[in-house]
Amino acid sequence: MATNSLRSLHHHQSLLKRHHSDSSSFTTLSTSLFLKPTITTATSSNTTTTSLSFSLSSTPSSLSPSTTESSQSSLSFDLLHHHLSSQNFRQADEETRRLLIALAGEAAVKRGYIFFSEVQFISESDLKSIDELWREHSNNRFGYSTQKRIWEKVNKDFTKFFLKVGWMKKLDTEVEQYNYRAFPTEFIWELTDETPEGHLPLTNALRGTQLLNNILTHPAFDTEEEQEAEDGGEVEERSDKGSLKGLRDISKPLSKRVFKTDYSF
């Protein structure tokens, strides 16, 4: 009796394969349906009966819906928009950091943080989208482009910039000294008249300013004047050591030149 049941099971499985090959047209539906087999064995006093039944499932057993959904929404700006529209700036800052890591590439995602050299891999449109959300929900008080404007006003001096945006505080010492604020308790997570302009989003500069420098100088935040300067021709300058090619026009004022100051806090 058990042998006949197993033969019946094998027959059902053959029919299933044939049915699957003949019904490929069903895969054009917006939601794919899968046959999920269930084997039931019942044992009485002298006989053993094995039956096979099928149920419809919208998800194959080998896939995890939560994993699929998370991978599809990992680069969505909806959560950032939600936090900002709710004025939840602490969570918006965390989401911005997560987005930058995801946009920088797989290597950044694996290590959990972004290298300054990976900023170049983030597209202009994505960085602009993040910046526009911050500015939209802060009356242009927050955002990377706001920070860049302040940075350029202080001649790209990062120490002065940190003081302007409130990332550093003055110490109560006889000699005038400043120190980086402690995260997260000493930063301001509310938008008030006292909140320094450009205070958010935060960028870690404890080990140097190269990451922040590369974000602020990203092409996404180029002004019209900077774009015109970049589109200008290159010049050659003769020196005692020979010909130096690929230099920008040195007649530009100092305020228009880019300096990479190395500060560590």
Side-chain angles (χ1 to χ4, degrees):
M1 189 71 179
T3 303
N4 293 335
S5 299
L6 290 177
R7 289 177 179 175
S8 176
L9 173 61
H10 178 72
H11 178 67
H12 278 83
Q13 289 176 337
S14 300
L15 290 177
L16 174 60
K17 292 181 180 178
R18 185 181 306 171
H19 173 76
H20 177 72
S21 61
D22 294 340
S23 306
S24 58
S25 59
F26 288 108
T27 58
T28 58
L29 297 175
S30 59
T31 301
S32 299
L33 297 178
F34 301 88
L35 288 174
K36 183 179 180 181
T38 302
I39 300 175
T40 304
T41 301
T43 303
S44 61
S45 57
N46 295 320
T47 62
T48 300
T49 304
T50 302
S51 61
L52 176 67
S53 61
F54 298 91
S55 60
L56 289 177
S57 173
S58 60
T59 305
S61 58
S62 60
L63 295 180
S64 172
S66 59
T67 302
T68 304
E69 292 175 3
S70 63
S71 62
Q72 292 175 346
S73 61
S74 60
L75 299 184
S76 170
F77 299 131
D78 292 342
L79 184 57
L80 177 61
H81 179 272
H82 170 72
H83 290 321
L84 289 172
S85 61
S86 303
Q87 301 287 286
N88 191 345
F89 294 113
R90 170 70 189 280
Q91 294 300 319
D93 183 71
E94 292 290 340
E95 176 63 10
T96 299
R97 190 172 297 106
R98 187 194 71 82
L99 284 171
L100 290 183
I101 293 173
L103 292 169
E106 183 179 351
V109 173
K110 286 183 177 180
R111 84 174 71 93
Y113 56 90
I114 180 174
F115 286 153
F116 70 90
S117 57
E118 295 170 327
V119 175
Q120 61 181 318
F121 302 134
I122 304 177
S123 70
E124 293 184 29
S125 59
D126 287 333
L127 264 185
K128 284 182 178 179
S129 296
I130 294 174
D131 181 61
E132 288 170 0
L133 285 173
W134 275 99
R135 290 190 292 107
E136 177 185 353
H137 297 287
S138 65
N139 294 323
N140 292 319
R141 298 279 302 280
F142 296 153
Y144 292 122
S145 57
T146 300
Q147 292 174 352
K148 180 176 182 178
R149 174 172 51 79
I150 297 172
W151 181 54
E152 290 179 338
K153 279 187 176 181
V154 296
N155 295 322
K156 301 181 180 180
D157 184 312
F158 276 108
T159 300
K160 294 179 180 179
F161 169 77
F162 291 151
L163 293 173
K164 278 284 187 181
V165 300
W167 292 1
M168 294 183 72
K169 62 180 181 179
K170 185 177 181 180
L171 299 179
D172 187 16
T173 57
E174 295 181 359
V175 180
E176 185 174 345
Q177 290 181 324
Y178 297 88
N179 194 18
Y180 207 70
R181 292 185 182 274
F183 178 86
T185 56
E186 294 186 348
F187 286 90
I188 304 171
W189 304 108
E190 297 177 352
L191 182 60
T192 65
D193 293 338
E194 289 74 28
T195 305
E197 188 179 17
H199 190 68
L200 298 173
L202 302 179
T203 301
N204 192 336
L206 290 174
R207 295 179 178 85
T209 60
Q210 289 177 306
L211 174 59
L212 179 59
N213 181 87
N214 284 20
I215 292 176
L216 298 182
T217 57
H218 193 281
F221 309 122
D222 281 353
T223 61
E224 293 182 3
E225 292 81 3
E226 289 172 330
Q227 190 63 46
E228 291 176 1
E230 290 180 359
D231 292 339
E234 295 181 344
V235 298
E236 296 183 2
E237 182 185 53
R238 303 294 300 181
S239 69
D240 294 338
K241 295 182 180 180
S243 176
L244 298 179
K245 296 182 179 181
L247 295 180
R248 296 289 183 182
D249 188 353
I250 60 174
S251 62
K252 293 180 185 177
L254 290 177
S255 60
K256 295 297 184 180
R257 300 187 199 172
V258 177
F259 295 92
K260 293 184 178 180
T261 309
D262 185 15
Y263 290 96
S264 299
F265 300 95

